[in-house]
Amino acid sequence: MAQSDDDKLAQAVGAKLRQIREDHALSTGDLAARSGIAEKNIIEFEGGKSRPDGDQVIRLSQALNVVPSTFFTE
């Protein structure tokens, strides 16, 4: 079965989130503490199982010191 556009976007955003987090040498727990987002959710985002909503994108970008659009660019 072909992946939906939503699934592809969730996987792309998750991969970018993981890359940025690892570039900052942070664990998922560290990012959870900085962003106020549950570690379980961050793990789901990185695994492409779900996508952060607008508020979560802002909180993640602030915690990682990047602009929100970073998660949606290659």
Side-chain angles (χ1 to χ4, degrees), residues 6-19:
D6 280 348
D7 290 343
K8 289 177 187 175
L9 180 60
Q11 288 182 346
V13 169
K16 190 70 170 184
L17 174 59
R18 174 177 280 137
Q19 174 193 350

Side-chain angles (χ1 to χ4, degrees), residues 26-43:
L26 297 172
S27 69
T28 53
D30 294 335
L31 182 54
R34 284 186 177 199
S35 65
I37 297 170
E39 183 176 12
K40 172 182 97 74
N41 292 64
I42 291 170
I43 292 168

Side-chain angles (χ1 to χ4, degrees):
M1 187 163 117
Q3 280 187 315
S4 73
D5 288 342
D6 280 348
D7 290 343
K8 289 177 187 175
L9 180 60
Q11 288 182 346
V13 169
K16 190 70 170 184
L17 174 59
R18 174 177 280 137
Q19 174 193 350
I20 296 166
R21 178 182 58 76
E22 289 176 349
D23 288 349
H24 284 77
L26 297 172
S27 69
T28 53
D30 294 335
L31 182 54
R34 284 186 177 199
S35 65
I37 297 170
E39 183 176 12
K40 172 182 97 74
N41 292 64
I42 291 170
I43 292 168
E44 287 179 358
F45 299 154
E46 289 187 357
K49 292 179 174 60
S50 65
R51 268 187 306 162
D53 64 25
D55 178 63
Q56 291 168 325
V57 168
I58 291 168
R59 290 163 53 193
L60 290 166
S61 66
Q62 289 171 339
L64 294 167
N65 198 30
V66 298
V67 296
S69 62
T70 303
F71 299 111
F72 304 98
T73 58
E74 289 185 29

